[in-house]
């Protein structure tokens, strides 16, 4: 019985990792806001983890990554980046 449970676990784990979903998708609780600074826009994230998730999506799409991260709200001298 333990062997069947182990085989079931391995099978489900394999389907989970090969389901075609992005590795960047997941729920992130809002904490402290952070701003992702790109060359021509700003991305306001709910937390630093949120910006990391967005940067991961940008990487998957072959788009340029953020230049740097800044704690707090984004300035308003550039437009907001489009959400991926």
């Amino acid at each position: 019985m333990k062997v069947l449970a182990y085989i079931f676990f391995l099978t489900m784990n394999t389907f989970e990792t090969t389901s075609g979903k992005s590795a960047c998708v997941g729920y992130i609780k809002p904490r402290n806001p952070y701003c992702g600074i790109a060359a021509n826009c700003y991305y306001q994230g709910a937390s630093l983890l949120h910006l990391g998730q967005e940067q991961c999506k940008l990487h998957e799409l072959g788009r340029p990554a953020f230049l740097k991260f800044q704690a707090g709200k984004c300035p308003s001298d550039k437009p907001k980046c489009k959400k991926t």
Side-chain angles (χ1 to χ4, degrees):
M1 193 64 168
K2 287 183 181 180
V3 173
L4 288 176
Y6 184 70
I7 291 172
F8 178 75
F9 174 75
L10 286 177
T11 304
M12 294 309 293
N13 197 14
T14 301
F15 283 128
E16 181 69 28
T17 57
T18 60
S19 65
K21 288 184 178 178
S22 170
C24 306
V25 176
Y27 176 73
I28 296 176
K29 291 174 83 172
R31 297 266 184 217
N32 298 321
Y34 266 81
C35 179
I37 300 172
N40 56 353
C41 61
Y42 293 123
Y43 184 83
Q44 184 65 56
S47 68
L48 189 56
L49 289 173
H50 188 220
L51 287 179
Q53 184 182 55
E54 191 65 24
Q55 181 146 316
C56 180
K57 291 178 186 177
L58 291 172
H59 178 73
E60 282 184 342
L61 296 171
R63 295 183 185 166
F66 296 119
L67 302 174
K68 71 178 197 172
F69 300 126
Q70 172 183 320
K73 299 275 185 185
C74 292
S76 59
D77 60 330
K78 292 182 190 176
K80 291 181 179 180
C81 297
K82 292 181 182 177
K83 189 172 182 344
T84 56

